[in-house]
């Protein structure tokens, strides 16, 4: 039996027959345009992906694909491609299925690629590559540059050998498309490399050269827009290359388009014009104005007698201005304005650019040309041109005057006539107003006034423009005031009042009167300000400052007094009453001899705080406290100033006022307490200085007042100053000294109070030996010295000094000397009391162990001499034991002072002689009731120490 005679169930099917069957079914579904869910584009694309995977597996298997199978797959691939073309031609798919349609289309070249290149199919590689190229273009249209690039890269190896004309044509298209994708991805260097690689492929085809030129132009435009950092990617070189290719294509003989080539879609001359245009733009951006003009010249030559595009003239104008050729720039501007195709805004922009270089001198001619060119919007064009002139004129006075002359020309002003130009007229006024005020703020007052006055040509006289006209007159007034043209300034402010009388005009008139020194008229005008509808008390404050600036103190005081009257009337004011009083006091501070007025208004501030409360007069919170503190500190400073000028009566009152002001806070804190106590103490000090200066005793009321002030100060001082702070604080000493001096004005009944006062001070940490010596001096002087206090203070001074870490023996020696003198006063006989000897005994104990020089030399000499000389007095009085006691004291003291040791031997020799001579005879101190006395004054002569 033959194989062919076997039944079908025993026959072997051809290899991979199932794949062909499935593939044929899917291709048939694509061809059928079935819109059911089972044949949707997404499902068809998925089926094709699955079949391609299976086909690729079969191709890589050991058996592979035979030739007949490959041919069948190619036929199916062509059927699929044609079906995709029909589907695309039938209707453009919606965006949601466009991707699926592109995937179906890509399946066709993928089938050809997997099936390989059968020998029976002519130009198989070129056809497969062409399918990939066209599919890549579809992906590129969908914005999927990555998938497009993948298609181009799969196709390139198929035709890279470029064996046939068809291969070369497809390879050229692939290179150009890959270059476009690289440019989109920002890989300009790759794009340029691909274009360079395409030059040999396009050499034989004018259409290819044209396509290559178009791609160079596209990448050159991209480089011009993005300015890539790579210096190799130069827009100028790319555009020049495109231009050269255009020239080459124009010079080539026309040849028929090769199969598979893509005809150029744009005219060669259009490409060439675009190259020249963008090359001119590139040269202009590179400031190569000569290159720009050469490009434009070639461009114009190629146009011949045709109508020129406005952009040519605009770029030519920019290049001429950049090269400084103003005459040629003027001709280009005239040509542009004569071009009917040029829009009005282009002409206005060109005029702005031209005037930015030439300045206002050529502005009038340009304005006339624009008025003829832009008939519908001449006013608007004039505003734009003048704005550019103003912006580029700078701050020069010459150009500003030229602007003013231009704006005030009748022909220019006429352009703005009519209600239709009201917006442009307002803009023109604002332009000149801004320019004028800039010169005003730059202190170019004459130029500013000129421009402001010319701006009024564009202000109508209707009701709506009243405020604008008034503002112009006011600024003109300010300009002439600055120029000291006071009469002219008064004329302008009078005109302003005619248009719109208000407080601003009145205030300017007030300033003029001040500068003209017409103080009476200024005061009258100031009083009428309240009658204006828009009156604000702030203008009175401003009037005060103006009066101060003009050194018109009378007007300033009148203004402040008038302003204070408003506070008394209870009118609501933006400034606190304390601020007004502060300004008045600050003004008076500048005037010499005004302390009485300063005291008067400072007291008013204190009284108003007491009447209305601090917040009502000074303000709330921190602001109010600052105002109150200002008056307090100023009172303190005035007190110091009065003390330096020895005006102690005012000093007393200012210190007292400062104390009252410092104590007006919401609860006196430690700082306030300290300031209050200090002010009270200093006030009493000034009171005592006044008594000494005037040589008139304090009255009983003043004495009582001073004691009350010091009593309060003492309580505040003890409450505000800690024991550690007392060590460096002089206030307790001043308080004690002043209190003691006031008690001195009383009779001896105050002596116990004085003693207790100094004892309290001596027990405090603020006490120093020096303070105690000063207080002792006060206690031992006067008509009623308090010797008990003096003795206590001297002993306390010595004790305090010895208790310190570094005793001051100068103070100790001075205290000992005074204590010796005071002890001597207690015994008029000078011999019966031991008080003096006790002092010397204490002094001896102090000097024992001291280094030489620690105890003052003169004081040591005085101690020794005084003790020795006292023995001489006792011996002359017949007081032998007392004389011996003082001799021993003198010798003992002399032994401890280096400077006195030279006298020790003589003193000892005399002492021995004195003892031998006197023997055991009783002295005057040992005799009792009527016993005979023996005097040694005649038998012994004692040498004295000086």
């Amino acid at each position: 039996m033959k194989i062919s005679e076997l039944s079908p169930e025993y026959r072997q099917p051809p290899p991979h027959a199932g794949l062909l069957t499935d593939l044929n079914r899917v291709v048939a579904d694509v061809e059928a345009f079935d819109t059911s869910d089972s044949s949707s584009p997404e499902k068809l694309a998925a089926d094709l992906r699955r079949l391609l995977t299976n086909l690729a597996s079969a191709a890589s298997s050991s058996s592979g694909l035979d030739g007949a199978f490959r041919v069948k797959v190619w036929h199916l691939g062509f059927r699929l491609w044609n079906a995709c073309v029909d589907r695309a031609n039938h209707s453009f798919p919606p965006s949601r299925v466009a991707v699926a349609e592109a995937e179906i289309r890509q399946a066709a070249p993928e089938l050809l690629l997997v099936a390989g290149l059968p020998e029976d199919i002519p130009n198989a590689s070129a056809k497969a590559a062409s399918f990939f190229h066209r599919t890549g273009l579809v992906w590129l249209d969908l914005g999927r540059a990555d998938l497009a690039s993948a298609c181009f890269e799969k196709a390139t190896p198929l035709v890279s050998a470029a064996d046939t004309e068809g291969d070369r044509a497809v390879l050229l298209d692939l290179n150009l498309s890959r270059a476009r994708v690289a440019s989109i991805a920002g890989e300009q260097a790759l794009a340029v490399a691909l274009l360079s690689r395409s030059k040999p492929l396009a050499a034989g085809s004018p259409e290819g050269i044209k396509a290559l030129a178009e791609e160079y132009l596209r990448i050159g435009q991209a480089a011009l827009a993005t300015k890539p950092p790579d210096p190799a990617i130069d827009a100028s070189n790319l555009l020049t290359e495109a231009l050269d290719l255009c020239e080459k294509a124009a010079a080539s003989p026309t040849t028929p388009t090769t199969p598979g080539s893509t005809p150029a879609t744009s005219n060669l001359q259009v490409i060439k014009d675009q190259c020249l245009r963008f090359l001119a733009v590139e040269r202009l951006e590179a400031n190569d104005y000569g290159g720009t003009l050469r490009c434009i010249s070639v461009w114009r030559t190629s146009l011949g007698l045709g109508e020129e595009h406005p952009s040519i003239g605009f770029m030519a104008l920019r290049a001429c201005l950049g090269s400084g050729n103003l005459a040629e720039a003027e001709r280009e501007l005239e040509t542009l304005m004569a071009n009917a195709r040029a829009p009005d805004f282009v002409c206005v922009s060109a005029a702005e650019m031209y005037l930015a270089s030439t300045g206002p001198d050529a502005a009038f001619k340009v304005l006339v040309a624009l008025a003829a060119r832009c008939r519908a919007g001449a006013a608007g064009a004039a505003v734009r041109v003048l704005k550019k002139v103003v912006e580029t004129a700078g701050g020069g006075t010459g150009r500003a005057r030229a602007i003013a002359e231009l704006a005030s020309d009748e022909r220019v002003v006429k352009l703005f006539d009519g209600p239709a130009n009201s917006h442009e007229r307002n803009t023109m006024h604002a332009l000149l107003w801004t320019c004028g005020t800039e010169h005003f703020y730059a202190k170019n007052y004459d130029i500013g006034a000129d421009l402001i006055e010319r701006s009024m040509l564009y202000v109508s006289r209707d009701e709506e423009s009243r405020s604008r006209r008034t503002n112009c007159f006011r600024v003109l007034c300010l300009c002439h005031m600055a120029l000291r043209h006071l009469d002219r300034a008064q004329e302008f402010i009078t005109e302003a009042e005619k248009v719109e009388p208000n407080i601003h005009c009145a205030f300017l008139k007030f300033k003029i009167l001040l500068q003209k020194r017409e103080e009476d008229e200024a005061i009258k005008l100031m009083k009428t300000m309240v009658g204006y509808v828009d009156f604000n008390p702030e203008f009175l404050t401003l009037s005060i400052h103006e009066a101060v600036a003009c050194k018109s103190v009378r007007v300033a005081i009148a203004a402040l007094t008038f302003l204070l009257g408003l506070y008394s009337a209870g009118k609501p004011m933006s400034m606190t009453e304390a601020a007004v009083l502060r300004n008045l006091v600050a003004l008076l501070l500048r005037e010499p001899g005004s302390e009485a007025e300063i005291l008067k208004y400072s007291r008013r501030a204190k009284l108003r705080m007491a009447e209305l409360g601090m917040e009502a007069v000074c303000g709330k919170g921190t602001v109010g406290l600052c105002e109150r503190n200002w008056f307090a500190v100023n009172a303190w400073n005035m007190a110091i100033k009065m003390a330096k000028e020895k005006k102690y009566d005012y000093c007393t009152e200012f210190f007292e006022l400062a104390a009252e002001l410092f104590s007006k806070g919401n609860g006196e804190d430690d700082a306030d307490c300290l300031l209050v106590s200090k002010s009270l103490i200093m006030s009493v000090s000034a009171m005592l200085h006044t008594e000494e200066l005037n040589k008139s005793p304090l009255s009983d009321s003043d004495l009582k007042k001073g004691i009350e002030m010091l009593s309060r100060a003492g309580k505040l001082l003890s409450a505000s100053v800690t024991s550690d702070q007392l060590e460096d604080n002089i206030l307790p000493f001043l308080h004690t000294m002043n209190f003691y001096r006031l008690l001195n004005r009383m009779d001896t009944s105050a002596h116990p109070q004085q003693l207790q006062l100094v004892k309290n001070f001596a027990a405090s940490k603020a006490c120093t030996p020096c303070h105690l010596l000063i207080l002792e001096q006060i206690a031992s002087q006067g008509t009623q010295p308090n010797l008990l206090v003096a003795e206590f203070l001297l002993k306390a001074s010595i004790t305090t000094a010895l208790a310190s870490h570094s005793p001051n023996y100068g103070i100790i020696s001075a205290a000992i000397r005074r204590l010796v003198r005071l002890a001597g006063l207690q015994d008029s006989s000078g011999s019966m009391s031991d008080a003096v000897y006790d002092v010397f005994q204490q002094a001896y104990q102090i000097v024992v162990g001291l280094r030489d020089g620690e105890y003052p030399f003169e004081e040591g000499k005085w101690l020794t001499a005084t003790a020795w000389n006292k023995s001489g007095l006792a011996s002359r009085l017949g007081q032998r034991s007392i004389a011996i006691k003082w001799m021993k004291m003198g010798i003992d003291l002399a032994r401890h002072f280096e400077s006195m040791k030279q006298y020790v031997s003589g003193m000892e020799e005399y002492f021995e002689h004195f003892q031998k001579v006197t023997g055991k005879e009783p002295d005057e101190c040992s005799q009792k009731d009527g016993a005979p006395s023996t005097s040694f004054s005649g038998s012994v002569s004692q040498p004295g120490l000086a």
Side-chain angles (χ1 to χ4, degrees):
M1 183 181 291
K2 298 179 181 179
I3 295 177
S4 60
E5 294 177 354
L6 292 174
S7 61
E9 60 271 17
Y10 292 103
R11 294 177 183 174
Q12 290 289 334
H16 315 301
L19 280 176
L20 287 175
T21 302
D22 293 342
L23 185 58
N24 187 65
R25 177 181 53 77
V26 175
V27 171
D29 289 342
V30 174
E31 292 172 331
F33 287 87
D34 189 356
T35 58
S36 64
D37 291 340
S38 61
S39 301
S40 64
E42 291 85 352
K43 185 176 182 304
L44 292 174
D47 290 342
L48 287 170
R49 284 196 299 270
R50 177 178 53 79
L51 290 172
L52 279 170
T53 303
N54 295 336
L55 188 60
S57 299
S60 61
S61 64
S62 58
S63 59
L65 303 177
D66 57 17
F69 189 88
R70 294 174 185 273
V71 172
K72 290 179 181 180
V73 173
W74 267 73
H75 286 305
L76 288 172
F78 270 89
R79 281 177 57 194
L80 179 60
W81 179 264
N82 293 332
C84 290
V85 173
D86 291 341
R87 290 168 72 96
N89 292 334
H90 182 268
S91 63
F92 291 99
S95 58
R96 70 177 182 84
V97 297
V99 173
E101 291 288 341
E103 290 179 353
I104 294 171
R105 181 186 288 266
Q106 186 170 345
E110 294 286 357
L111 285 172
L112 303 184
L113 186 62
V114 172
L117 303 176
E119 297 178 357
D120 298 339
I121 299 176
N123 295 324
S125 60
K127 291 175 181 177
S130 179
F131 283 2
F132 271 118
H133 175 247
R134 294 176 187 178
T135 304
L137 293 178
V138 172
W139 282 120
L140 199 57
D141 291 339
L142 292 175
R144 294 298 304 270
D146 54 340
L147 297 178
S149 179
C151 288
F152 300 149
E153 290 171 0
K154 286 182 180 180
T156 300
L158 297 175
V159 292
S160 59
D163 295 330
T164 65
E165 192 68 27
D167 288 352
R168 284 193 292 273
V170 176
L171 184 58
L172 174 62
D173 292 339
L174 286 170
N175 285 346
L176 296 181
S177 298
R178 289 181 64 194
R180 185 185 305 178
V181 173
S183 178
I184 293 172
E187 299 176 356
Q188 305 296 343
L190 176 59
V192 173
L194 288 168
L195 294 182
S196 299
R197 198 181 300 170
S198 302
K199 288 181 182 179
L201 300 173
S205 169
E207 292 296 331
I209 294 173
K210 191 187 298 182
L212 183 59
E214 195 170 8
E215 204 58 45
Y216 265 111
L217 172 62
R218 183 181 290 109
I219 297 177
Q221 289 175 327
L224 186 62
T226 59
K227 303 289 189 302
D230 189 354
I233 312 302
D234 182 60
S236 177
N237 294 337
L238 294 170
L239 294 170
T240 303
E241 187 68 37
L243 191 61
D244 292 343
L245 289 170
C246 288
E247 296 291 344
K248 187 181 296 185
S252 298
T254 305
T255 57
T257 304
T258 57
S261 65
T262 305
T265 58
S266 56
N267 186 276
L268 188 62
Q269 184 61 41
V270 174
I271 300 175
K272 183 177 179 181
D273 290 346
Q274 288 181 341
C275 289
L276 288 170
R277 177 186 173 190
F278 286 106
L279 195 58
V281 172
E282 188 277 332
R283 289 292 85 201
L284 191 61
E285 290 182 354
N287 296 329
D288 182 7
Y289 305 114
T292 303
L293 292 174
R294 285 192 295 273
C295 291
I296 292 173
S297 177
V298 175
W299 194 355
R300 285 174 170 169
T301 302
S302 65
L303 285 174
L305 298 176
E307 192 171 6
E308 182 176 281
H309 192 276
S311 62
I312 299 176
F314 192 81
M315 280 196 292
L317 173 64
R318 286 186 61 186
C320 291
L321 291 174
S323 61
N325 192 345
L326 297 181
E328 190 64 31
E330 184 179 359
R331 285 192 289 272
E332 290 290 349
L333 180 60
E334 292 174 356
T335 303
L336 181 62
M337 288 191 177
N339 189 344
R341 294 180 60 191
D344 288 350
F345 75 89
V346 174
C347 295
V348 175
S349 298
E352 290 178 316
M353 190 187 311
Y354 175 71
L355 291 176
S357 299
T358 59
D361 300 333
F364 183 74
K365 184 178 179 181
V366 174
L367 272 177
V368 173
L370 278 177
R373 178 69 170 73
C374 311
R375 296 186 183 277
V383 168
R384 285 187 59 179
V385 170
L386 282 174
K387 185 177 181 181
K388 178 58 65 176
V389 171
V390 169
E391 289 175 352
T392 57
T397 57
R399 289 197 167 189
R401 293 191 186 281
I403 293 169
E405 293 295 333
L406 176 63
S408 60
D409 190 275
E410 293 181 359
R411 289 166 290 186
V412 176
V413 176
K414 192 175 181 180
L415 294 175
F416 295 85
D417 288 344
N421 294 321
S422 60
H423 175 72
E424 286 75 14
R425 191 163 49 247
N426 292 338
T427 305
M428 189 68 175
H429 164 73
L431 187 64
L432 294 171
W433 167 271
T434 303
C435 186
T437 52
E438 285 177 357
H439 281 278
F440 171 77
Y441 290 126
K443 299 184 179 181
N444 299 326
Y445 301 113
D446 51 346
I447 301 298
D450 194 16
L451 288 166
I452 294 294
E453 195 166 359
R454 305 300 173 95
S455 75
M456 295 185 70
L457 295 170
Y458 299 90
V459 180
S460 59
R461 294 180 178 272
D462 55 11
E463 187 69 19
E464 295 179 355
S465 302
R466 287 178 60 189
S467 296
R468 192 176 297 174
R469 290 179 62 81
T470 305
N471 287 340
C472 290
F473 281 125
R474 286 211 307 264
V475 176
L476 287 170
C477 171
L478 289 171
C479 289
H480 287 283
M481 285 177 65
L483 293 169
R484 307 301 297 174
H485 303 158
L486 299 181
D487 293 334
R488 184 68 171 150
Q490 196 162 1
E491 291 175 9
F492 280 118
I493 204 60
T494 302
E495 290 295 325
E497 285 185 313
K498 292 178 182 178
V499 177
E500 190 180 32
N502 53 37
I503 188 64
H504 297 276
C505 297
F507 179 69
L508 285 179
K509 193 172 184 180
F510 172 79
K511 289 180 66 175
I512 294 171
L513 292 173
L514 278 178
Q515 293 184 20
K516 294 174 73 174
R517 309 304 298 175
E518 298 179 6
E519 293 187 348
D520 293 334
E521 294 297 322
I523 293 173
K524 289 180 183 178
L525 178 61
M526 179 187 62
K527 292 180 179 178
T528 63
M529 288 183 183
V530 185
Y532 284 88
V533 177
D534 56 344
F535 169 75
N536 189 313
E538 292 294 333
F539 282 95
L540 284 177
T541 304
L542 294 175
S543 301
I544 296 165
H545 291 306
E546 288 298 328
V548 172
C550 294
K551 298 182 179 179
S552 181
V553 178
R554 189 163 68 92
V555 177
I557 292 176
L560 282 164
T561 306
F562 186 66
L563 189 58
L564 285 174
L566 298 180
Y567 287 94
S568 300
K571 292 186 177 182
M573 309 289 282
S574 59
M575 185 186 297
T576 61
E577 185 175 0
V580 177
L581 287 166
R582 171 169 50 79
N583 288 327
L584 180 55
V585 171
L587 177 63
L588 292 169
L589 285 171
R590 303 181 184 181
E591 299 295 322
S594 59
E595 49 270 9
E597 292 294 312
I598 294 173
L599 185 61
K600 170 186 172 183
Y601 288 109
S602 299
R603 280 178 172 168
R604 169 167 176 159
K606 186 220 23 167
L607 291 174
R608 295 290 284 176
M609 290 180 206
E611 292 173 4
L612 305 177
M614 190 187 74
E615 289 190 353
V617 177
C618 300
K620 296 181 179 180
T622 306
V623 175
L625 290 174
C626 289
E627 288 286 3
R628 186 262 296 179
N629 288 339
W630 187 90
F631 283 101
V633 171
N634 183 70
W636 174 273
N637 292 336
M638 282 298 300
I640 298 297
K641 180 182 177 183
M642 294 297 99
K644 292 179 180 178
E645 296 177 3
K646 295 186 178 180
K647 298 178 180 179
Y648 295 115
D649 49 350
Y650 282 116
C651 178
T652 301
E653 296 189 59
F654 275 115
F655 270 128
E656 184 181 356
L657 179 61
E660 294 174 0
L661 289 168
F662 279 128
S663 63
K664 290 292 180 182
N666 295 330
E668 294 173 345
D669 56 15
D670 291 345
D672 286 339
C673 288
L674 186 60
L675 290 171
V676 171
S677 60
K678 189 173 184 179
S679 301
L680 292 171
I681 293 169
M682 297 304 292
S683 179
V684 175
S685 296
M687 184 189 300
L688 294 170
H689 278 86
T690 303
E691 178 191 36
E692 294 175 2
L693 188 65
N694 298 334
K695 296 182 179 179
S696 59
L698 292 176
S699 64
D700 292 341
S701 60
D702 288 341
L703 186 61
K704 182 180 178 182
K705 179 180 178 182
I707 291 175
E708 290 175 354
M709 291 168 67
L710 288 177
S711 298
R712 182 186 172 199
K715 293 177 182 178
L716 293 174
L717 196 62
S718 61
S720 61
V721 182
T722 63
S723 59
D724 293 334
Q725 293 173 327
L726 281 172
E727 294 184 16
D728 299 322
N729 202 318
I730 198 174
L731 288 180
F733 167 68
L734 293 177
H735 173 265
T736 304
M737 183 178 69
N738 289 337
F739 214 142
Y740 192 95
R741 292 176 68 186
L742 288 179
L743 293 174
N744 249 0
R745 271 70 175 168
M746 303 171 69
D747 54 22
T748 56
S749 61
H751 281 192
Q753 190 176 354
Q754 287 177 323
L755 180 60
Q756 187 60 44
L757 179 68
V758 297
K759 282 184 177 180
N760 292 339
F761 175 69
S764 69
K765 288 190 175 183
C767 173
T768 66
C770 185
H771 291 161
L772 295 173
L773 284 182
I774 295 172
L775 290 174
E776 183 275 334
Q777 190 174 7
I778 296 172
S780 59
Q781 292 177 351
T783 56
Q784 296 176 345
N786 192 335
L787 299 183
L788 288 177
V789 170
E791 181 182 4
F792 169 80
L793 289 169
L794 289 172
K795 291 180 178 179
S797 175
I798 295 171
T799 304
T800 305
L802 289 172
S804 65
H805 295 295
S806 301
N808 188 334
Y809 289 101
I811 292 177
I812 294 172
S813 61
I816 288 174
R817 183 188 282 243
R818 293 184 189 180
L819 192 58
V820 167
R821 183 174 64 251
L822 185 62
L825 294 175
Q826 294 177 1
D827 184 10
S828 58
S829 67
S831 60
M832 294 302 296
S833 175
D834 288 334
V836 176
Y837 186 81
D838 292 341
V839 175
F840 273 85
Q841 188 69 30
Q842 184 181 9
Y844 175 75
Q845 293 172 357
I846 291 171
V847 300
V848 170
L850 291 182
R851 294 189 300 272
D852 184 47
E854 280 192 275
Y855 200 89
F857 164 75
E858 291 296 333
E859 293 299 322
K861 183 178 179 181
W862 180 85
L863 277 176
T864 305
T866 302
W868 183 260
N869 292 336
K870 280 186 176 292
S871 67
L873 178 62
S875 65
R876 286 194 295 273
L877 294 176
Q879 300 170 344
R880 175 179 176 275
S881 61
I882 294 176
I884 292 173
K885 180 174 66 174
W886 282 111
M887 285 182 187
K888 288 181 178 180
M889 177 61 70
I891 294 171
D892 290 341
L893 286 171
R895 289 187 181 126
H896 290 283
F897 295 114
E898 189 69 29
S899 58
M900 298 299 294
K901 287 184 178 179
Q902 56 181 326
Y903 302 105
V904 171
S905 58
M907 294 168 69
E908 290 177 342
E909 182 180 349
Y910 178 79
F911 178 68
E912 293 175 358
H913 174 70
F914 179 78
Q915 284 184 319
K916 290 179 181 179
V917 171
T918 57
K920 295 183 179 179
E921 294 182 11
D923 58 21
E924 188 176 300
C925 295
S926 62
Q927 291 180 357
K928 305 292 181 181
D929 301 328
S933 63
T934 305
S935 175
F936 304 102
S937 58
S939 59
V940 179
S941 176
Q942 178 186 357
L945 292 178

